[in-house]
Amino acid sequence: MDQGEGASGRIDPELLGLRDSIDNVDAALIHLLAERFKFTKRVGEFKATHGMPPADLAREAEQIARLRALAKAAKLDPDFAEKFLAFIVQEVIRHHEAIKIDG
Amino acid sequence: MDQGEGASGRIDPELLGLRDSIDNVDAALIHLLAERFKFTKRVGEFKATHGMPPADLAREAEQIARLRALAKAAKLDPDFAEKFLAFIVQEVIRHHEAIKIDG
């Protein structure tokens, strides 16, 4: 049968190779995200200590513009890069709210 | 004033250093995501050529379990890792739909 996965459940080597690459990229993404949340946790603590508000619209606008430019250069949809940042920032805010509740 | 950002707009070196690290991580994330979409584009093309359905629930379940384990080891919230994968897969499906419309 002309399918990536045979009746025996064996996967075509080309598809398997692509999936292995995706898995490698995903492992790298997870570890970078873990590191990113360590940094944003420290930012949250810094801001709490110095009486700064959690949100900083000027900084966020800079981040969006920078990520859109990086995405464009890497041939990634800039709209997706912006949505991605919003997705991450949403989680950061959730963490910062948790810090406030804990403290 | 005891704020991370002075009246002159100068940012505290500690906060600046953390933001620089976040920016570096974000640049890495964007480039990895660009690479990931290149791989999933090839998977989409492979599946289209071989008459395979775009979704593969067994593969997705494996990915979720693997990412949750990796997240746990990296001290990242496994629920966030799962949400992150869902966010990415949503975009992959959007790309695959676009391929189908184009083709």
Side-chain angles (χ1 to χ4, degrees):
Chain A
M1 61 201 275
D2 186 25
Q3 291 247 338
E5 195 167 339
S8 64
R10 226 180 24 188
I11 298 169
D12 182 282
E14 190 185 334
L15 182 58
L16 193 64
L18 290 169
R19 286 181 169 179
D20 285 346
S21 293
I22 290 166
D23 286 347
N24 285 341
V25 169
D26 283 349
L29 286 169
I30 289 296
H31 286 91
L32 280 171
L33 285 168
E35 209 54 32
R36 193 187 195 282
F37 286 118
K38 284 170 70 179
F39 288 127
T40 51
K41 185 169 185 277
R42 284 174 57 193
V43 168
E45 287 161 355
F46 180 94
K47 285 182 168 181
T49 306
H50 294 78
M52 292 171 75
D56 181 336
L57 295 180
R59 158 78 175 152
E60 280 170 39
E62 274 171 19
Q63 283 177 290
I64 290 168
R66 182 174 172 273
L67 285 202
R68 290 187 69 94
L70 283 172
K72 215 170 163 183
K75 295 179 187 161
L76 180 72
D77 178 4
D79 289 342
F80 173 76
E82 187 169 344
K83 271 193 285 177
F84 173 71
L85 183 66
F87 176 79
I88 303 293
V89 167
Q90 198 180 19
E91 184 72 9
V92 170
I93 290 167
R94 210 175 63 77
H95 287 194
H96 288 185
E97 291 297 327
I99 289 172
K100 271 197 271 180
I101 292 162
D102 287 348
Chain B
M1 62 199 279
D2 184 24
Q3 291 247 338
E5 195 167 339
S8 64
R10 222 178 26 186
I11 298 169
D12 181 284
E14 190 185 334
L15 182 57
L16 193 63
L18 290 169
R19 286 182 168 178
D20 285 346
S21 292
I22 290 166
D23 286 347
N24 284 341
V25 169
D26 282 349
L29 286 168
I30 289 295
H31 286 91
L32 280 171
L33 285 168
E35 209 53 33
R36 193 189 195 281
F37 285 118
K38 284 169 69 179
F39 289 126
T40 50
K41 186 169 183 279
R42 285 174 56 192
V43 168
E45 287 162 355
F46 180 93
K47 286 181 169 183
T49 305
H50 294 78
M52 293 171 73
D56 182 335
L57 296 180
R59 158 78 175 152
E60 280 170 38
E62 275 170 21
Q63 283 176 290
I64 290 168
R66 182 173 172 273
L67 285 202
R68 288 187 70 94
L70 283 171
K72 215 170 164 187
K75 295 178 187 161
L76 180 72
D77 178 2
D79 290 342
F80 173 76
E82 186 168 344
K83 272 193 285 177
F84 172 72
L85 182 65
F87 176 78
I88 302 293
V89 167
Q90 199 179 18
E91 184 72 8
V92 170
I93 290 167
R94 211 176 62 77
H95 287 195
H96 287 187
E97 291 297 328
I99 290 171
K100 272 197 272 182
I101 293 162
D102 288 347

